[in-house]
Amino acid sequence: MSLIKTTAPVAPAVPSTGRLRPLGLGEVRITGGYWAGRQRVNATATLAHIAHWLEREGWLPNFDLAAAGRLPDGRRGREFSDSEVYKYLEAVAWQLGRDDDPALEETFRNTVARVAAAQEPDGYLDTAFGRPGQAPRWSDLEWGHELYCAGHLFQAAVARARTRPGADDGLLAVATRLADLICDVFGEDGIRSVCGHPEVETALVELGRVTGEPRYIEQARLFVERRGTGVLRDIEWGRSYYQDDVPVREADVLRGHAVRANYLSSGAADVAAETGDGPLLAALSRQWANTAARRTYITGGQGSHHQDEAFGDDFELPPDRAYSETCASIASIQFSWRMLLAEGDAAYSDLIERTLYNVVATSPSAEGTAFYYANTLHRRTPGEPADPDTVSPRAEASLRAPWFEVSCCPPNVARTLASLDAYVATAGEDTLQLQQYAPATIVTVLGGGERVELTVETEYPADGRIAVRVDRDADAPWTMQLRVPAWADGAVLTDPDGAPTTVRPGYAAVTRAFRAGDVVTIDLPVAPRFVRADPRIDAVRGSVAVERGPVVYALESVDLPEGWDDVATALADTGRPPRDEAGRVVVDLARRTPPEAAWPYAGQQPEAADAPVAVPLVPYHDWAERGPSTMRIWIPAS
């Protein structure tokens, strides 16, 4: 088929219909603050770190073996290790879309050449299946991950096509040959099944958007409609593990493996946007709302089961057993973003913000070379430092580790940070919405033809003031909308005339024919605050957590007063609110000293508590940066 150049926004998701459209790289540039720092580390340290481990562990050399006809001998890594190479390529493509880097460009092209050399004449591409001595193609749809790997290849090709339209590296051609094969094999008259790990659905839609090939979108629709009809084999955790228990349209909440569930929902949202399927979108909206209300941690993390990396039942959210996989949160952001573009509800951006600051930001170390796979909310024993030269078992690292036997999270974090500019703002016909707050420049043309140029100045979330300066005279009135998070009661919007207005959560709007130099300011109340959980969350009933703006805080043992043994002894004095002192969030805590007993259950066990003392907390995303410690987010209240 012929390939076409895209004129769509340079962004990971570009639906053809919806309430809002994303503003991509080139239209939005994060210029400073917290996220610019994370992006700088991602570009200068994380990408090279990932490339080193892909090479060292043999996951990239697997493609060389395939091209040389030497598989299966010497193949290393799990059946899905190809996907980590593809996610790395996607991350590099987005980074090259932000900044020209000749050395990184050369690395990208060399990696693509190694991948392309392994593609078979009919388009098939997977190093774990299909050759003499390997299992046949498509023979293990439950666990083989062939379609899952293909999906990540497609997303890498989409990122390259949008950041470098017409590039001659061949990646888009590799992707479309494989996509054509998948459509032949799994089309209406082909194998009537799905992949055990959803992901190819959203990737096929994006590939269809970037190439203009409707066949890819139709194949994604077929995969979504087949899901939940029992096409995969049952397993010990049930078909809900890979969402093959209930059709997508009939489900009320996300369930099963949390990464799979969110990737499937993202793909279904893409299908709904491209086919105008209102009932499908309504089902996804219902599932998102119920999942946010009943199955999501205070950090935005999802998944409370370790054995199957799955959602628990409603309100089953134990902090010390939180799995909260980094990849599940990235998939959750993708799902929320697509629903935001479709429906325009600020609640989707609220969850994205919470998840970014408290899971995505928590996974990588400050240096960007070690990661959490799972993100517990309560650490009972100090962790063991990971060997920087050793692969860690999946999710078993008690502190951030450099690489995992299943290392999906590092390249997932990398591609998210590299494309983060595209999640900052959206636009409509004559409106522009700021969805996430960071120092940034924005230059775009609204749907009605109005060119808009803005500069965002803020120290958020350290400070709640966001000032948006207009840098170009408007030819006609347009509307600037600033998101007011659900926690921000009492937020104040000040228009260019200096008139302040108290605004409610949602979007605060100013409409006028803006002049260059006009400034719109919103002040969000980011003072520290106690929050309590829904009483149906048994595990934290009677406890409080502390938030400051969108950031969740934690008590870490390294900050306890001298003589205190562990965070388990702390009681929060809720009679005095948390506060900012000397640049840190401080709470009053008393130390409780339960008596030792031969049996831990009794009718009454008196508990002595010392007088409260001021103790500093740490942003959860910074915990364990100072070495092994115990930690908790939820603190019992006195």
Side-chain angles (χ1 to χ4, degrees), residues 313-444:
D313 294 329
D314 287 352
F315 305 109
E316 184 188 350
L317 295 165
D320 53 346
R321 291 298 297 161
Y323 196 70
S324 184
E325 184 182 341
T326 299
C327 288
S329 290
I330 289 170
S332 167
I333 288 169
Q334 293 178 9
F335 179 29
S336 295
W337 181 249
R338 285 158 173 79
M339 295 304 296
L340 171 70
L341 297 178
E343 297 186 341
D345 189 334
Y348 297 119
S349 276
D350 284 356
L351 184 56
I352 290 171
E353 178 180 60
R354 178 176 296 275
T355 307
L356 282 171
Y357 276 107
N358 302 300
V359 184
V360 174
T362 305
S363 175
S365 65
E367 297 78 18
T369 56
F371 307 84
Y372 279 128
Y373 187 107
N375 296 275
T376 185
L377 277 66
H378 185 170
R379 179 79 194 170
R380 293 181 178 274
T381 58
E384 293 291 331
D387 184 340
D389 200 44
T390 300
V391 174
S392 296
R394 177 175 58 178
E396 292 184 9
S398 56
L399 293 176
R400 295 175 182 90
W403 202 248
F404 302 92
E405 291 176 356
V406 177
S407 216
C408 47
C409 297
N412 230 349
V413 169
R415 69 178 181 137
T416 302
L417 292 175
S419 60
L420 192 60
D421 306 68
Y423 292 90
V424 169
T426 55
E429 187 69 14
D430 58 357
T431 63
L432 184 142
Q433 301 81 23
L434 275 180
Q435 304 290 354
Q436 304 299 328
Y437 294 123
T441 57
I442 300 173
V443 178
T444 191

Side-chain angles (χ1 to χ4, degrees), residues 482 484 488-493 501-509 522-524:
L482 306 181
V484 183
D489 287 328
V492 175
L493 178 77
T501 305
T502 300
V503 290
R504 298 176 56 81
Y507 291 104
I522 191 164
D523 288 279
L524 303 178

Side-chain angles (χ1 to χ4, degrees), residues 31-77:
T31 57
Y34 180 81
W35 290 116
R38 296 302 323 188
Q39 288 183 312
R40 183 167 54 253
V41 170
N42 190 56
T44 59
T46 302
L47 291 178
H49 176 83
I50 293 169
H52 163 76
W53 282 93
L54 290 174
E55 198 74 59
R56 185 191 125 152
E57 290 305 300
W59 301 357
L60 182 52
N62 285 340
F63 292 91
D64 303 332
L65 295 174
R70 293 167 52 195
L71 290 178
D73 293 342
R75 189 188 184 280
R76 298 174 62 190

Side-chain angles (χ1 to χ4, degrees), residues 298 527-532 543-548 572-579 586-589 617 634-635 637:
I298 188 173
R529 62 192 184 276
F530 282 126
V531 295
R532 297 180 183 269
S543 297
V544 294
V546 174
E547 296 178 336
R548 187 182 186 280
D573 179 2
T574 56
R576 187 180 183 190
R579 55 206 177 272
V586 172
V587 294
D588 288 345
L589 300 179
L617 305 182
W634 290 102
I635 306 171

Side-chain angles (χ1 to χ4, degrees), residues 508-532:
V510 176
T511 302
R512 63 171 57 201
F514 289 95
R515 304 265 73 87
D518 282 352
V519 176
V520 176
T521 302
I522 191 164
D523 288 279
L524 303 178
V526 295
R529 62 192 184 276
F530 282 126
V531 295
R532 297 180 183 269

Side-chain angles (χ1 to χ4, degrees), residues 450-488:
E450 183 69 38
R451 182 176 175 85
V452 172
E453 298 180 11
L454 305 174
T455 299
V456 181
E457 297 177 349
T458 183
E459 296 180 9
Y460 185 84
D463 186 273
R465 170 159 289 197
I466 299 101
V468 185
R469 187 184 72 238
V470 177
D471 296 326
R472 183 181 187 278
D473 289 347
D475 296 322
W478 60 275
T479 300
M480 182 190 305
Q481 295 180 317
L482 306 181
R483 180 175 59 88
V484 183
W487 49 261

